[in-house]
Structures are given as structure tokens and as C-alpha cells.
Amino acid sequence: ILWNTNPFLQYSKNNHARMNSDYQNKTFDISEQIKSWDTLKLSIATAIEKLNPGNIRCTRNKLLRLNIVRGKGLFCRFILNAQLESPETTHMYATLVSYVNLQFPNVVELLLIRYINVFKNAYKYKQEYRYKSPILFLMFMINHNVAKDWLAMDIIKLLIPSLTVQSMEMIEVIFKECGKKLYSNPLNKLDLKHTFGVLQFISQEARIDSKVQRLARIIITKYRDHNKHEQYFGLVDPFKQYTHLLKLNCEYDGQYELDYFAPDLDYMSNDIIYENNIKQALKSKCKNVYHFSKDDYDEMADDEDEHESETNNCSLSSNIAIKKTIKLIINLNLSAYEIVTELMQIKLKPGQEMKLCLIYLDCCFENSVVYNRFFGDIIQCFCIMNDLVVESLECIFMQSFPIIHLYNPNKLVNFAKFFAQLLYSDSISWKVFTTVRLTESETTYSSRVYLKTMFNELIKYMGRDNVKERILCPSLQTSFIGLFSFNTRGNFHLCNQFFTDIGFPNLIAEFRESLRGIPV
């Protein structure tokens, strides 16, 4: 019989008897199942092969329609092989897997088990060149709340005694990718203290290789008591994500037999159940499905599924859709130019550039404690490629100043540094200061902190002399006149105090003539 030729398949006597009986009664056709399996295998392989930063959500929907439960062994095998071949695109595969985990956590659990087994086998046979790919993927899974952070601590404890350059490099990768998660969990406090204590000993022990000592010192310098971290966007609500409680020191079955065909006695009924469930799941999410890469629309032209074609053409006019798109793009670890290229693919109605900029700023600074200059680099590229974005940002600057006191302190400082970066790079015009008036009645403590932070940032990157030259430029003096309001003595003292604080005590000398006529 065909299915007995596979050495990986074992069935109980009862199941074997049922299969013989059903086969004789022709209740299902083995050849049709084999043909369907081959189609499923090819479809999953093609979908993962075509995965790119612009079609992650589209690929997720395709995989869900392909009965990923039946082909979970294939899915795990193709994801693992693709990621091992190109570790630099790990973020892309991790994002796809985090979406699949919402619907089918048992499929993702099998994938995590196989990655753990890959790492453990590499460690067992001392194949250090194979460490990076599984460790990198597991760290991204921890960031996506798919795996627990204790998995990272287990790997660190396993690697430290090796005292090799490769193991130290992998420890640095772990702290770099998910250091935030490790520090955010109070249960890791003692483990982290012990880890850095061991690293401190390694860095001072003369008998250890100097390269290993140097890497240990780098890790200590960068990541001990390291609270600063790169901005990370969770694309999936952590309260909705299923977190797997896998550990490194446990033995797990990789179920590699699932990579091969096995007859299903209830093939038709299982297909019907799966299709009904997945249609309901996709229907509830169809309003949030969107795409921004040109590749998506090329694929839609060739797609025969009418429902998928309708879903892919969902409008991006919704603020929620645009916000999720921007978060997804920024989270893909692309260069500033590549991110702008993807943002340019967003289909906007005329005049919606302002909305795009506002949502972008909201995405970047809503939960950010430390300003990330990369956000400014992205907008600088955007300004070069689209003049309408420049106009929108100038309008945002002028409209936000009167209400800047409503922002929380972190967002206020980040906004000031963001616009300072655009100003010293000349991405926007300095004439935006036309709307700024430094008076007692028109400014608050928050708005003065906002201006002071902005000018300090400009001085930091341009130099004090260049900033002064720009303020005193004849073509811009009318734009800066609002900063030198001398119509009352209180406004004069406020202006004098402001410029003294930022290091320009003599700047107002050229505006002394405005002091005539001030009431005593």
C-alpha cells in the first residue's frame, strides 16, 4: 500500500484496519490526496519564496487559505530554510510568523521547537557558524511576544562558558535585539547581575584570549544598566498574542514526519471545517487588510481568487490603516531611502499628505522616550522626493506651536529635536518662525522649553556662529521678529532671559531700537 512505503509513518492497528476498510469502500481517494498535497507543498513554498517587506500581510492571508494546519510541517520547513539562507531578512519572516501565531499558535510552536533543536544541535556538535540564524530568529520572536524572555537567558547561560569569539558575538546580538525585554522583567535581575559579573571576570582574566576579553568589555560597556533602546513597534497587540513557554533545557519533538504525505480518513470534512473557520477569521479582518508595495498589486493582477483581489484593493484612506502601514514599514530594518520608497507606494487622495505626516509623527513619538534621529533621516529623504511633504511639515510646525503645551514632556522634546533636525538640514524653510511670538501672553513654560530645546539642538549641530548668522540674515529677519517682542518691559526681560539661557546674550543688541516707546 502506498502509505506504508514511508518509514516515518506509524499507525495503530485500529487506524490501519479502518484505512483498509475505507479504502476498499472507496470513501476517499488516495491519489487525489497526494495531488492535493503536492499542490499545497508548491503553494506554501512559492508564497514564502515571494515574501518581501511589502506583501507580508498578503502572504499571511494566502497561507491561511492554503490549510496551514495540514501543511504545518511544510510551513516550518520552508520558513526555517529561507531564514537560515538569509539571516539579514529575519525581521521579515518573524513578522509573518507573529501574524500566523494569532490564528494557529500550534503551528508556530512547532516552528520554535525546530529552531531550538537547530541551535542545540549546532551547540552539541560545536558548529558555531550555525549559531546566528536560530538565535536571531528566536530573539525576534521574543520581541514579538511569541516566546518568553527566559529563552534568551538560557542561551546566554549556555554560551558564556564557551569563552569563544563566536559565543561572545552571539551574546552581544542577544542583548542588542532583546535587551529591552530582559531588563523589563524583574525576574531577570539576578540572572543579569550574575551574567555581567561573569563577563567582568572574563574581561580581567589574563589567561583568556584577548579578543574574547575585548568583546566582553564591549558588552559590559554597552548593555550593563542599559535602559536606552531602539524604538520598536509591536505590530500585534501583546494582549492578543499567544506566548509560548518553551525552554532550552527541555527535550521537544520536532515532528519531522509532518513534512511528508499522510492519508487523512476525514479529508473532506476536515477541509470543510478549516475553510469555514478561516473564512470567518479573514472576514472579520478584511477591513484592516492593506498593502503598500508595488509587488502586491502585480501579484493581485495574477491572482484568480476574487475575494483576495477585493481584499487587496481596500482603501488606505482610513487613519488606522495608514498608521499600521507606517508602523510595519519602519519596523522592517530598511534604510531611510528604502522606507521612503515604500511610503511613496501608499495610495493617498489629493491633499492627504498632511494626514500622512501627522500619522507618521504620531507613530514615531507616541511611546518614544529617547529621540531617534533615524525618524528625521526618513523625513529628510521624503522631503527631497516630494515637495508637498515639505509644505505639510511647515504647516504642522506653525499649527503645533500654539498648542505645544498640550503635549506630554517626552513628545514635546522629541518634536523640538525633530524639527531642529529638519531646520539644520534645510529640509524645511526657516520662515516657519513667522508664527512664533515670544511674549508673556502668547507663550507658556512648555512652549519656551520647546523653543529652548530646539535652539540648543540647532547650536549642537550647526554651531553657535552659524545659528546667529541665520537669525540675523536680512532675508529672515522678518520671520524672527516675533522672537524679539519689546513692546512691554515684561516681554523684553523674557526675551533677554531666553537668549541668555541659550548662549546669545548680545543677540538682541541689534533690536534695541524697538525698545523706544516702551511704557515704564
Side-chain angles (χ1 to χ4, degrees):
I1 300 175
L2 179 63
W3 55 84
N4 283 337
T5 60
N6 194 331
F8 291 96
L9 303 179
Q10 297 179 355
Y11 297 102
S12 65
K13 293 181 179 180
N14 293 336
N15 192 30
H16 187 69
R18 283 183 59 201
M19 288 173 63
N20 283 331
S21 175
D22 287 336
Y23 182 75
Q24 292 170 0
N25 296 328
K26 297 182 179 180
T27 55
F28 66 96
D29 190 346
I30 295 295
S31 62
E32 288 297 324
Q33 289 193 35
I34 294 175
K35 189 182 295 184
S36 176
W37 174 265
D38 291 338
T39 304
L40 177 65
K41 181 178 179 180
L42 180 62
S43 301
I44 293 176
T46 303
I48 293 175
E49 184 180 354
K50 290 184 177 181
L51 183 67
N52 63 65
N55 69 353
I56 293 176
R57 198 179 285 266
C58 176
T59 302
R60 189 278 306 264
N61 293 338
K62 287 181 179 179
L63 290 171
L64 294 185
R65 294 192 181 99
L66 291 174
N67 197 338
I68 200 173
V69 172
R70 176 174 289 124
K72 68 177 181 178
L74 297 173
F75 172 78
C76 295
R77 188 174 81 186
F78 292 133
I79 285 285
L80 198 147
N81 289 342
Q83 191 269 336
L84 291 179
E85 290 178 3
S86 57
E88 64 276 4
T89 58
T90 300
H91 56 278
M92 193 168 64
Y93 298 109
T95 303
L96 173 64
V97 171
S98 69
Y99 280 129
V100 173
N101 189 59
L102 286 174
Q103 298 295 330
F104 301 107
N106 60 328
V107 175
V108 175
E109 182 181 36
L110 179 61
L111 180 61
L112 292 176
I113 288 172
R114 291 192 179 185
Y115 267 102
I116 290 173
N117 289 342
V118 168
F119 171 73
K120 290 170 72 174
N121 289 336
Y123 181 81
K124 179 180 178 181
Y125 295 107
K126 298 182 180 180
Q127 298 173 332
E128 294 186 342
Y129 63 91
R130 296 177 57 194
Y131 285 176
K132 184 174 182 180
S133 294
I135 288 178
L136 204 55
F137 185 85
L138 291 172
M139 295 309 106
F140 273 94
M141 289 293 93
I142 292 172
N143 278 334
H144 281 286
N145 297 299
V146 176
K148 291 293 289 183
D149 54 1
W150 62 50
L151 192 59
M153 291 305 308
D154 288 345
I155 295 174
I156 292 173
K157 292 174 185 177
L158 193 66
L159 291 177
I160 279 187
S162 301
L163 295 178
T164 62
V165 173
Q166 188 70 26
S167 64
M168 287 297 156
E169 289 177 349
M170 290 302 99
I171 292 172
E172 184 179 4
V173 167
I174 292 171
F175 278 110
K176 179 181 178 181
E177 297 299 337
C178 66
K180 171 190 173 184
K181 288 285 184 182
L182 295 177
Y183 277 104
S184 64
N185 188 351
L187 298 177
N188 292 329
K189 185 176 180 180
L190 292 178
D191 287 334
L192 288 169
K193 184 178 180 180
H194 173 73
T195 298
F196 283 104
V198 174
L199 289 172
Q200 186 72 37
F201 172 79
I202 292 172
S203 67
Q204 297 173 355
E205 180 58 47
R207 291 173 294 179
I208 297 175
D209 185 6
S210 60
K211 292 182 180 179
V212 175
Q213 288 183 314
R214 184 166 60 252
L215 286 171
R217 283 192 289 269
I218 290 173
I219 295 171
I220 293 170
T221 304
K222 280 187 176 181
Y223 303 108
R224 172 179 276 180
D225 301 327
H226 184 72
N227 295 322
K228 296 181 181 180
H229 55 270
E230 293 295 323
Q231 181 75 10
Y232 179 82
F233 294 107
L235 303 179
V236 180
D237 187 347
F239 296 103
K240 295 181 181 179
Q241 188 65 273
Y242 183 90
T243 305
H244 300 275
L245 309 179
L246 299 176
K247 294 186 177 181
L248 195 66
N249 56 359
C250 296
E251 294 295 330
Y252 299 108
D253 181 12
Q255 302 181 44
Y256 296 101
E257 67 274 9
L258 296 178
D259 295 2
Y260 303 92
F261 170 72
D264 187 356
L265 294 176
D266 301 319
Y267 182 85
M268 295 303 296
S269 59
N270 287 339
D271 252 10
I272 292 171
I273 292 172
Y274 181 87
E275 288 177 6
N276 289 338
N277 289 334
I278 205 61
K279 280 182 179 178
Q280 293 178 4
L282 292 175
K283 185 177 180 181
S284 65
K285 295 177 180 292
C286 67
K287 292 184 179 181
N288 292 330
V289 176
Y290 52 87
H291 305 283
F292 45 82
S293 175
K294 184 178 182 295
D295 296 337
D296 288 11
Y297 300 102
D298 294 338
E299 289 179 17
M300 284 191 284
D302 299 328
D303 200 337
E304 296 179 358
D305 190 344
E306 182 179 353
H307 174 73
E308 183 174 357
S309 178
E310 293 174 356
T311 303
N312 288 337
N313 284 315
C314 285
S315 173
L316 284 179
S317 59
S318 168
N319 287 2
I320 296 176
I322 298 176
K323 187 172 183 178
K324 288 185 175 181
T325 305
I326 294 173
K327 282 189 175 184
L328 179 61
I329 296 173
I330 296 175
N331 193 47
L332 293 176
N333 285 342
L334 302 175
S335 66
Y337 177 78
E338 290 172 328
I339 289 176
V340 172
T341 303
E342 293 294 342
L343 289 173
M344 294 286 285
Q345 302 297 329
I346 296 179
K347 303 299 180 183
L348 296 172
K349 296 178 181 178
Q352 281 195 319
E353 290 79 14
M354 173 77 80
K355 178 188 290 186
L356 178 65
C357 293
L358 287 170
I359 296 175
Y360 174 84
L361 293 174
D362 188 39
C363 291
C364 293
F365 302 132
E366 60 181 349
N367 296 316
S368 180
V369 177
V370 180
Y371 176 67
N372 188 345
R373 293 188 69 250
F374 184 62
F375 298 146
D377 294 339
I378 294 171
I379 284 295
Q380 284 178 235
C381 293
F382 215 160
C383 291
I384 294 172
M385 299 172 68
N386 191 337
D387 292 337
L388 294 176
V389 173
V390 177
E391 297 177 7
S392 300
L393 289 169
E394 290 174 350
C395 290
I396 291 172
F397 179 96
M398 292 186 284
Q399 292 175 6
S400 63
F401 183 75
I403 59 171
I404 200 70
H405 60 280
L406 300 177
Y407 293 5
N408 66 59
N410 288 333
K411 189 173 181 180
L412 183 147
V413 172
N414 287 335
F415 255 59
K417 292 183 177 181
F418 173 79
F419 280 113
Q421 185 175 349
L422 296 183
L423 286 167
Y424 70 68
S425 63
D426 288 322
S427 298
I428 62 175
S429 171
W430 288 61
K431 292 183 179 180
V432 294
F433 282 99
T434 304
T435 58
V436 178
R437 291 186 58 80
L438 188 59
T439 64
E440 290 182 312
S441 60
E442 297 179 70
T443 60
T444 62
Y445 175 78
S446 296
S447 58
R448 291 192 287 273
V449 170
Y450 174 75
L451 286 174
K452 192 176 296 184
T453 304
M454 186 182 300
F455 274 101
N456 284 333
E457 198 74 5
L458 290 170
I459 293 169
K460 177 181 177 181
Y461 289 99
M462 292 180 63
R464 198 173 301 278
D465 293 338
N466 290 332
V467 174
K468 184 176 181 179
E469 181 182 351
R470 190 66 64 96
I471 294 174
L472 297 178
C473 178
S475 62
L476 293 175
Q477 275 194 326
T478 54
S479 301
F480 286 107
I481 192 66
L483 294 174
F484 300 91
S485 299
F486 302 145
N487 54 337
T488 65
R489 191 176 298 276
N491 288 341
F492 170 74
H493 286 305
L494 176 64
C495 174
N496 186 45
Q497 183 66 40
F498 174 80
F499 285 105
T500 301
D501 289 344
I502 63 174
F504 292 124
N506 300 321
L507 186 63
I508 62 174
E510 298 188 12
F511 294 86
R512 290 286 184 179
E513 295 181 1
S514 301
L515 294 176
R516 296 176 183 176
I518 293 180
V520 180

